[in-house]
Amino acid sequence: MIIYNVTVNIEESAQSNWLNWMKETHIPDVLNTKLFTAAKMSRVLVEEQMGGVTYSIQYSCESQKKLDLYTQKFAPKLQEEHTKKFQGKFVAFRTLMEVVAEF
């Protein structure tokens, strides 16, 4: 199992609009690719020195092959939509993790 983690720091002035858009549009669009089995969104509970509010969205993927297909075929368009809608109001980075055990 691969976890595709997207961490986003969003300006407080855009947070409500962004959060609604992520829940109602973006995350469903990612899941509708059928390449992920689940998604989980969490708020990072630290006070950011740079301001804003930080969220982590973790998408569960069955294989690296499926994740590669997502990043090649779907990610550019979905990331572009996000950037256009919230230009200059966020910073984001992505992390890949491999699940080695679950308890």
Side-chain angles (χ1 to χ4, degrees), residues 23-38:
K23 290 177 183 178
E24 296 172 10
T25 303
H26 186 75
I27 293 171
D29 286 349
V30 173
L31 292 175
N32 283 337
T33 68
K34 305 296 186 204
L35 295 169
F36 297 97
T37 58

Side-chain angles (χ1 to χ4, degrees), residues 5-90:
N5 181 78
V6 182
T7 304
V8 179
N9 177 275
I10 185 78
E11 287 182 6
E12 289 182 34
S13 63
Q15 177 190 2
S16 179
N17 187 27
W18 178 85
L19 194 55
N20 287 333
W21 183 78
M22 289 294 289
K23 290 177 183 178
E24 296 172 10
T25 303
H26 186 75
I27 293 171
D29 286 349
V30 173
L31 292 175
N32 283 337
T33 68
K34 305 296 186 204
L35 295 169
F36 297 97
T37 58
K40 182 187 308 183
M41 177 185 256
S42 304
R43 182 174 173 178
V44 178
L45 298 177
V46 297
E47 189 170 322
E48 296 290 350
Q49 289 181 344
M50 66 181 163
V53 182
T54 301
Y55 290 86
S56 168
I57 304 94
Q58 297 184 342
Y59 300 96
S60 299
C61 189
E62 293 175 341
S63 68
Q64 184 66 49
K65 183 178 179 178
K66 285 187 176 187
L67 181 61
D68 291 344
L69 179 59
Y70 171 77
T71 58
Q72 292 167 11
K73 186 174 180 181
F74 298 101
K77 178 181 179 280
L78 291 168
Q79 290 172 9
E80 181 182 354
E81 290 171 359
H82 182 270
T83 298
K84 282 183 180 177
K85 189 156 183 72
F86 298 99
Q87 185 82 39
K89 298 182 187 291
F90 76 97

